[in-house]
Amino acid sequence: MSVHFGELAMKFGADGVISPGEVLALRREAWPDGHISQAEAEAIVALNHQLTSRCREWVEFYVEALGEYVVNQRAPKGYVDGENAAWLMAQLDADGTLGSMAEIELLVRVFECAQNVPVSLKDYAVAQMEHAVLEGTGPTRDGGMLEAGNVNAAEALLLRRAIFAPASERPAAVGRKEAEMLFRLKDATLGADNAPEWKHLFVQGIANYLQAYSDPNAQLSRERAVELDALMGDTQARVGGFLGRMAKASPNAFGKVFGRKAPAPDRSEAVGRAYAVTDDEREWLEARIEADGQIDEYEQALLDFLAED
């Protein structure tokens, strides 16, 4: 980190307020080479904790800079390692709560930009999003508001982004932990002034968990990504040996790298199996619906949706 950047961050945060012009100065100082160092990332986090008022420009800079640092500053890009995940969680927990929209947006941004993240960070995100929706207050990045005790349109949008993000529990589909979070949020906000978008998300999210197909190989582990990255960067290996190892390690990627498209696999049978609700899934659903001895309007909407098919 340049000394100048650290000095600017301390100066701009002294009064607890940062202006768009000051954010622009920080952006120019921190990003001339497209790289965010750990020292710069920590200075940005420290400044965010100092602020009592955060302009839109600051939230955007905070989210973009720290998202880039967490997701792409270590090879292979797009795969958050355990150390960076632990660093991120420690920074977000530094003041005891996920207290600002900048922090919530950063968490969602990491899941949207990453190919995969450690399970510890996936579990952390589920818990923090639930807390933010139930107890968070204040403006959102897109002009909406967080409201405690209910789920409004802005909160429903944040939840949708988080659970369907590429690095979420089950990419392009809802995982069990995420589905259980949706049920807890539904139970906690019954009778509240909820937005129609929340009911739509609840119904679609639970139905997605029960019936949607998700490619089990959609998320490559970081360890596997490291192996493939090293394989591609091996300049000492003979061409024949390299091609053989490449094809063996990643046959689908092999065709794409050398200009041939691998034939698209026929997933119709797998999609059909996923669409059918299993005994385990049915028992899971019945246990949650019967927990309070009655069927509420959200559960009825879900049952009606499932019955249509």
Side-chain angles (χ1 to χ4, degrees):
M1 176 180 68
S2 70
V3 174
H4 188 50
F5 181 85
E7 292 174 345
L8 281 178
M10 291 179 63
K11 176 183 176 182
F12 293 160
D15 61 356
V17 179
I18 191 166
S19 70
E22 291 170 332
V23 174
L24 181 59
L26 286 176
R27 185 183 285 274
R28 287 172 172 168
E29 182 68 21
W31 248 339
D33 57 357
H35 180 84
I36 298 293
S37 69
Q38 181 169 339
E40 287 168 336
E42 290 175 350
I44 292 169
V45 169
L47 175 52
N48 187 62
H49 288 318
Q50 283 183 263
L51 298 177
T52 56
S53 177
R54 299 170 179 85
C55 61
R56 181 186 181 92
E57 290 80 3
W58 167 255
V59 173
E60 290 176 350
F61 171 63
Y62 176 89
V63 170
E64 291 171 14
L66 294 185
E68 175 67 19
Y69 170 72
V70 171
V71 176
N72 291 322
Q73 294 304 310
R74 294 185 182 179
K77 291 184 177 181
Y79 293 86
V80 180
D81 64 12
E83 186 176 343
N84 260 7
W87 179 88
L88 176 61
M89 290 185 284
Q91 304 309 312
L92 295 178
D93 284 342
D95 58 359
T97 180
L98 197 66
S100 73
M101 178 47 54
E103 295 171 329
I104 297 169
E105 283 283 353
L106 170 59
L107 192 59
V108 175
R109 174 67 171 252
V110 166
F111 278 78
E112 289 179 327
C113 294
Q115 297 297 314
N116 207 352
V117 305
V119 173
S120 60
L121 187 55
K122 295 177 193 284
D123 292 344
Y124 176 86
V126 168
Q128 293 300 327
M129 290 302 300
E130 183 175 356
H131 175 80
V133 168
L134 288 178
E135 300 185 29
T137 58
T140 66
R141 189 181 183 188
D142 61 2
M145 295 288 292
L146 290 180
E147 298 172 351
N150 67 333
V151 186
N152 63 25
E155 292 165 331
L157 177 58
L158 275 172
L159 285 168
R160 184 178 291 276
R161 288 172 55 199
I163 65 178
F164 286 106
S168 64
E169 180 185 355
R170 190 172 167 230
V174 177
R176 176 164 289 201
K177 293 176 183 178
E178 294 164 338
E180 290 173 348
M181 173 188 67
L182 294 179
F183 256 103
R184 289 194 300 270
L185 286 173
K186 183 269 297 178
D187 290 339
T189 59
L190 275 179
D193 183 21
N194 298 321
E197 289 86 348
W198 164 234
K199 182 183 284 188
H200 295 158
L201 176 59
F202 174 79
V203 171
Q204 293 168 357
I206 301 301
N208 183 285
Y209 164 64
L210 295 171
Q211 296 183 310
Y213 169 76
S214 180
D215 186 345
N217 299 314
Q219 286 180 338
L220 199 66
S221 71
R222 184 179 184 277
E223 291 72 24
R224 193 67 180 128
V226 169
E227 291 177 2
L228 294 178
D229 195 52
L231 192 63
M232 292 297 294
D234 185 358
T235 59
Q236 302 301 316
R238 295 178 59 185
V239 173
F242 168 78
L243 294 181
R245 287 184 290 127
M246 180 66 185
K248 183 178 180 181
S250 186
N252 292 333
F254 180 74
K256 295 177 184 177
V257 169
F258 294 99
R260 302 193 307 273
K261 288 186 177 179
D266 183 2
R267 295 191 174 94
S268 57
E269 185 177 344
V271 171
R273 288 197 303 268
Y275 188 77
V277 178
T278 67
D279 291 341
D280 178 62
E281 290 169 336
R282 185 176 295 105
E283 290 175 3
W284 175 89
L285 180 61
E286 290 175 352
R288 274 143 192 82
I289 290 179
E290 295 172 357
D292 59 0
Q294 61 182 0
I295 298 177
D296 59 56
E297 62 175 297
Y298 291 83
E299 294 166 346
Q300 187 62 59
L302 170 61
L303 293 173
D304 291 343
F305 181 85
L306 294 173
E308 288 177 4
D309 300 323

